[in-house]
Amino acid sequence: MNKESIAEYFQSLQDDICRQLEIADTEGKFQEDRWERPGGGGGRSRVILGKHIEKGGVNFSAVHGALPAKIASALQLESANFFASGVSIVLHPLNPWAPIIHMNVRYFEMSNGTWWFGGGIDLTPHYIDREDIDFFHGQLKAVCDAHHVDYYPEFSQWADRYFYLKHRKETRGIGGIFFDRLSGKDGFSIEDRFQFVKAVGESFAPIYVKLLDKHKDRDYGEREKKWQLYRRGRYV
């Protein structure tokens, strides 16, 4: 396994998630914009404007080059060449009863041997549904528990901290999991970490499709749409 095979997997993950979301939406199709980074690498940005997914982005990137000094300083790293790849997703549903969801899975390595994985999934409902919360966190816990018993308690608390809006003094949603700099410490291999990140990425579409299917045809009116717009503003 190397950085090329990891990036190839992320690219296939983007394809698979887009396929599942198009089926769930029933009408919308992703439009793709391919781009190149002047310093090295590029990606595929995909957007859907659908029947049930009002607007969503599923993006893949794999970039490389010399790590800028400011970024190296911010990450507390020595200057070296870097490689970074991942998939990032945000979906906003048309129906106010369906939740917003975000996911990111990523890999980073440097020419000096440093490497790590990061990512997570979090959910921002417009309306709280206890059954949805239990399902969402139950699915994430199952993914985490299959790889390490400490993952879910640690990463769910990390998500609660990461997605707390300090300037508003409120949570952005109902949390999820968040993790970063998962490296070879504590006896983990790069394959161990990669298998976990793959499981997180592959859990995304089934989780969201179930939530979308549950709510996409529910009746709503102007009151619910106004609340949805308000919650979207809080999300930003």
Side-chain angles (χ1 to χ4, degrees), residues 189-229:
S189 69
I190 190 170
E191 182 65 27
D192 293 333
R193 300 298 200 184
F194 187 37
Q195 290 303 317
F196 169 64
V197 169
K198 287 170 67 176
V200 171
E202 290 165 18
S203 74
F204 172 83
I207 288 173
Y208 192 66
V209 167
K210 185 175 179 64
L211 294 173
L212 185 65
D213 283 347
K214 177 180 175 180
H215 297 291
K216 66 185 182 184
D217 293 319
R218 288 185 64 178
D219 291 336
Y220 63 88
E222 184 179 357
R223 181 171 180 266
E224 288 79 19
K225 288 302 291 184
K226 285 183 176 179
W227 178 248
Q228 182 188 48
L229 293 175

Side-chain angles (χ1 to χ4, degrees), residues 2-51:
N2 52 33
K3 61 186 179 183
E4 288 81 14
S5 62
I6 293 173
E8 183 178 343
Y9 167 76
F10 283 143
Q11 199 166 16
S12 69
L13 178 65
Q14 181 196 35
D15 291 337
D16 186 57
I17 289 174
C18 288
R19 178 187 61 80
Q20 293 187 62
L21 292 178
E22 286 181 347
I23 293 171
D25 187 83
T26 71
E27 291 185 6
K29 299 296 181 183
F30 280 93
Q31 302 299 310
E32 180 178 280
D33 178 28
R34 292 179 179 251
W35 54 273
E36 294 184 0
R37 176 178 177 270
R44 307 185 304 189
S45 298
R46 292 180 179 174
V47 173
I48 185 171
L49 306 175
K51 177 180 179 181

Side-chain angles (χ1 to χ4, degrees), residues 122-214:
D122 66 284
L123 197 70
T124 305
H126 305 102
Y127 290 94
I128 297 299
D129 183 315
R130 174 53 60 181
E131 185 180 80
D132 290 353
I133 294 173
D134 292 343
F135 166 74
F136 178 69
H137 278 278
Q139 292 295 301
L140 295 182
K141 185 177 186 301
V143 170
C144 290
D145 288 352
H147 294 268
H148 198 283
V149 68
D150 292 337
Y151 276 178
Y152 179 75
E154 179 182 348
F155 298 160
S156 61
Q157 290 179 25
W158 200 340
D160 289 341
R161 295 191 302 269
Y162 189 79
F163 295 110
Y164 181 76
L165 308 179
K166 294 180 180 179
H167 63 293
R168 299 191 190 280
K169 296 182 179 180
E170 66 185 37
T171 59
R172 194 176 78 175
I174 62 165
I177 57 172
F178 178 82
F179 51 90
D180 201 11
R181 298 207 180 196
L182 297 189
S183 63
K185 294 181 179 179
D186 302 322
F188 289 97
S189 69
I190 190 170
E191 182 65 27
D192 293 333
R193 300 298 200 184
F194 187 37
Q195 290 303 317
F196 169 64
V197 169
K198 287 170 67 176
V200 171
E202 290 165 18
S203 74
F204 172 83
I207 288 173
Y208 192 66
V209 167
K210 185 175 179 64
L211 294 173
L212 185 65
D213 283 347
K214 177 180 175 180

